[in-house]
Amino acid sequence: MDRPLLDALASQFTQEGLVEQEEVFQKLRDLGKSPIETIYVASQVLGLSLPEAKTALYRSAAWRDQHEAWQGVQSSLSDS
């Protein structure tokens, strides 16, 4: 994770007035950012804690297609 690059991206979003939660998640998805990178940037842009940003990401329409895969990973970890 390139924090300086992600910090610059968060600053850019803020300067552009990109503050709508779903729009932030979609833009980061479109840019090819990972879920962890998305949580990091969203927490800065939206003023959320990291756990709040993680929950918001899981609930977002932009990442909805990943829910099944995430649940599968979590389930397999629980089975171990």
Side-chain angles (χ1 to χ4, degrees):
M1 185 165 83
D2 186 344
R3 283 192 180 178
L5 178 68
L6 296 175
D7 290 340
L9 187 57
S11 179
Q12 176 188 341
F13 281 14
T14 302
Q15 289 173 359
E16 293 174 357
L18 189 64
V19 294
E20 202 281 316
Q21 185 169 296
E22 193 58 44
E23 194 176 4
V24 169
F25 288 128
Q26 186 62 58
K27 179 77 172 175
L28 290 164
R29 181 86 192 260
D30 292 346
L31 290 171
K33 299 304 175 197
S34 72
I36 292 184
E37 292 169 322
T38 298
I39 291 166
Y40 179 81
V41 173
S43 71
Q44 292 184 5
V45 173
L46 301 171
L48 302 171
S49 68
L50 291 174
E52 290 170 330
K54 178 182 177 184
T55 299
L57 172 80
Y58 289 153
R59 294 181 177 162
S60 75
W63 289 85
R64 187 165 289 136
D65 66 318
Q66 297 297 308
H67 290 193
E68 191 174 310
W70 291 334
Q71 289 174 348
V73 167
Q74 188 162 355
S75 178
S76 70
L77 291 174
S78 298
D79 294 340
S80 300

